[in-house]
Amino acid sequence: VFFTGHMDHVGVAGGDNGCRAAGAASICNRADDDASGTTAVVMLAQAFSRLGTRPRRSLVFMTVSGEERGLWGSEYYSEHPVVPLSQTVADINTDMIGRHYNNQPGWRDTIVVIGKEHSTLGATANRVNQAHPELHMTMIDDLWPRQNFYFRSDHYNFARKGVPILFFFNGTHPDYHQPTDSVEKIDAEKAARVTQMVFHLGLDVANTTERPQWNPESRARIVQPTTP
């Protein structure tokens, strides 16, 4: 079971990266995109290392670079995996889990989980969510299918190789890819609860005998055929 998040961003303002200087600030900060998801991967590794009983499946925690350039790091891994992809049962990706969608009120207890409809991981996520009401976190489906977020973060390079995925994502906000994506705007308490939910989900997947299964229609549409 893989846990992923990307540690790169777009650099400084200018060029074609969409980032514009804000006064003297020209560094395109990345507190939400994706220091929040990278932090989740690190904290998950720490939490799993403290378990008294090891899960039945191995766990891999991977932060990648080059996501903003076109998913380069995860693409490279998918072409040169350390763990055979045939033995990789799931990837749970965290990208932008530290804010509220478009700064809207009411999002403190909501997280979008993209990809739920494509495999049995969706039903597993719903069950785990219901089993942990103490986290006060509601998982909802992709609100923005026309923006193709499913294909825009590192989980996709697992999915196209046949690995079922889930993508935890809050959506964008006015500070997306801007110098103003700064750490004081992060809702750390919410990000911690999202990370705890990912922990429980990952533990469930790691201890279940049956592998997550694709929905046939989704597999036919998403998983790319291998070349001989």
Side-chain angles (χ1 to χ4, degrees):
V1 181
F2 266 71
F3 301 86
T4 55
H6 73 91
M7 58 184 175
D8 65 305
H9 200 49
V10 299
V12 297
D16 59 356
N17 61 18
C19 183
R20 300 291 177 263
S26 61
I27 296 174
C28 308
N29 290 323
R30 52 182 289 271
D32 193 27
D33 185 16
D34 181 36
S36 63
T38 300
T39 300
V41 174
V42 173
M43 297 306 294
L44 286 163
Q46 183 181 70
F48 277 110
S49 74
R50 294 174 175 172
L51 282 179
T53 303
R54 293 172 62 92
R56 297 174 65 181
R57 290 192 170 95
S58 299
L59 307 175
V60 181
F61 307 89
M62 184 170 74
T63 57
V64 297
S65 193
E67 192 266 3
E68 300 289 1
R69 294 290 187 176
L71 314 184
W72 286 355
S74 55
E75 180 181 17
Y76 182 87
Y77 180 83
S78 71
E79 299 295 339
H80 308 86
V82 176
V83 180
L85 294 178
S86 62
Q87 297 176 26
T88 304
V89 304
D91 174 54
I92 305 174
N93 189 44
T94 47
D95 191 348
M96 298 181 66
I97 63 167
R99 295 279 297 271
H100 303 173
Y101 167 58
N102 208 25
N103 292 339
Q104 292 182 2
W107 267 74
R108 195 154 195 280
D109 300 323
T110 301
I111 185 67
V112 171
V113 184
I114 292 175
K116 287 171 61 182
E117 72 275 25
H118 294 312
S119 76
T120 56
L121 283 175
T124 302
N126 289 337
R127 175 169 51 77
V128 170
N129 192 190
Q130 293 175 2
H132 291 279
E134 75 279 4
L135 296 179
H136 304 289
M137 185 59 59
T138 299
M139 297 182 186
I140 62 174
D141 296 339
D142 187 358
L143 295 178
W144 319 279
R146 293 186 179 181
Q147 296 189 48
N148 291 321
F149 285 120
Y150 186 94
F151 304 93
R152 291 170 55 182
S153 192
D154 294 294
H155 59 276
Y156 173 63
N157 279 314
F158 286 85
R160 71 183 182 89
K161 293 289 190 176
V163 178
I165 67 91
L166 288 176
F167 173 26
F168 283 71
F169 178 57
N170 268 320
T172 60
H173 44 70
D175 302 306
Y176 177 65
H177 283 196
Q178 300 303 318
T180 49
D181 184 11
S182 48
V183 68
E184 71 273 6
K185 297 178 181 179
I186 294 293
D187 184 343
E189 194 275 339
K190 175 183 179 178
R193 285 185 289 128
V194 173
T195 304
Q196 290 175 67
M197 189 67 73
V198 174
F199 172 87
H200 292 300
L201 172 62
L203 185 62
D204 188 286
V205 175
N207 279 326
T208 302
T209 301
E210 185 177 355
R211 296 170 59 120
Q213 299 295 316
W214 283 90
N215 296 332
E217 299 83 0
S218 297
R219 183 179 179 88
R221 181 163 59 89
I222 295 170
V223 180
Q224 299 178 359
T226 58
T227 56

